[in-house]
Amino acid sequence: MKVTLIAHTPNPEQVVAAAARLCYSDSHIDTLLEGMTPEKSRDFVRKLAAMGHESPTEHVSFTFGIEGVSRSLLAQITRHRIASYSVQSQRYVRLDQFEYVTPTEVEQDEEGAEAFRQAMEQAGEEYRRIAALLKDGHIRRLTAQGMDEKTAARQAEKLAIEDARFVLPNACTTKMIVTMNARSLANFFRHRCCNRAQWEIRALAEEMLRLVSQVAPALFENCGPACYKGPCPEGRMTCGKAAEMREKYAALHREAEEWES
């Protein structure tokens, strides 16, 4: 997995503070940023958090480049609907030698790991075989309809991999660009940093939180699993490790502040 923060709203804490300031004062738009130093902006952001006023945080967004994650993760992350996603297409990108994610528990089991590797190889073989068969069939059909061979081959390739992709496994890796505003990110972290979240998306959420905390520490200092700043909401399904999780995310935020300074 590789996660990169490739863009974000400039001066995110200042933007959030300015938006909130407008709500509570008679300031004009052209004077909102007057005297809004980084220190004052952070104080304002912290006051907003204490008040539970979250809507101003929707004015700043963060864009991530994510690669080396599974299609299984893709199915999970896109359930967070207040976000924008651009994903490498299996319709247009041929994956003859696809890479895949191996779960840690599988890696640690010698026989399971070997069986998993064989399953991935077999899926790749079937993908290539089906794509070749479909492509040949499409070329014959398209040329019979009067299309020139070069154009027929190009269209047949797309049609073939569009259907052959159905045999590719959830473990197959993908790449994506994801953009979320800060409020959506806080919600994402609350659910996906939880110890009960699936391991791969939990690792992604933790790295995303680490990256945004380095550029806007006050804005995200309360972010993490729900138990980080409150009681565990999982009831009888709790992992029972709230104290450990609080320390873990407190350390993450301390590191972010040290990184910035």
Side-chain angles (χ1 to χ4, degrees), residues 201-243:
I201 199 167
R202 186 172 68 244
L204 172 63
E206 183 174 326
E207 184 58 23
M208 289 168 65
L209 176 55
R210 190 186 311 278
L211 292 172
V212 296
S213 294
Q214 291 173 352
V215 298
L219 186 58
F220 293 101
E221 66 184 7
N222 293 319
C223 289
C227 66
Y228 176 52
K229 290 295 182 177
C232 173
E234 297 293 325
R236 289 183 297 176
M237 301 296 288
T238 181
C239 71
K241 299 180 179 179

Side-chain angles (χ1 to χ4, degrees), residues 71 74 87-95 98 127 158 160-169 172-174:
R71 300 289 292 196
L74 174 63
V87 183
Q88 184 182 65
S89 174
Q90 291 182 341
R91 293 182 65 198
Y92 297 98
V93 179
R94 191 177 181 106
L95 298 172
F98 67 86
Y127 171 81
K158 176 184 176 298
I161 64 175
E162 180 175 340
D163 290 332
R165 65 181 171 147
F166 277 75
V167 303
L168 292 173
C172 185
T173 61
T174 190

Side-chain angles (χ1 to χ4, degrees), residues 123-189:
E125 290 173 3
E126 293 303 316
Y127 171 81
R128 292 187 291 273
R129 184 172 72 88
I130 293 169
L133 290 170
L134 293 176
K135 184 176 181 178
D136 287 344
H138 287 310
I139 289 175
R140 289 194 298 271
R141 175 177 58 81
L142 293 170
T143 53
Q145 293 173 356
M147 187 177 292
D148 66 272
E149 188 171 337
K150 184 176 181 180
T151 303
R154 184 170 61 250
Q155 290 197 16
E157 169 76 5
K158 176 184 176 298
L159 292 169
I161 64 175
E162 180 175 340
D163 290 332
R165 65 181 171 147
F166 277 75
V167 303
L168 292 173
N170 271 340
C172 185
T173 61
T174 190
K175 303 173 185 177
M176 68 186 88
I177 301 294
V178 177
T179 300
M180 294 186 187
N181 67 49
R183 191 178 192 179
S184 293
L185 276 170
N187 178 69
F188 175 72
F189 297 142

Side-chain angles (χ1 to χ4, degrees), residues 17 43 65 81 156 161 198 203 205 220 225 228 236 242 247 250 253:
D43 287 342
R81 293 181 290 276
I161 64 175
Q198 188 261 352
F220 293 101
Y228 176 52
R236 289 183 297 176
E247 177 52 37
H253 289 293

Side-chain angles (χ1 to χ4, degrees), residues 5 7-9 57-64 66 76-85 176-189 192 201 204 208 212 220:
L5 180 60
H8 61 81
T9 302
T57 65
E58 295 176 17
H59 292 293
V60 296
S61 63
F62 299 79
T63 299
F64 304 87
I66 302 170
Q76 296 180 77
I77 195 172
T78 50
R79 292 177 66 188
H80 295 269
R81 293 181 290 276
I82 305 178
S84 298
Y85 302 95
M176 68 186 88
I177 301 294
V178 177
T179 300
M180 294 186 187
N181 67 49
R183 191 178 192 179
S184 293
L185 276 170
N187 178 69
F188 175 72
F189 297 142
R192 301 303 184 173
I201 199 167
L204 172 63
M208 289 168 65
V212 296
F220 293 101

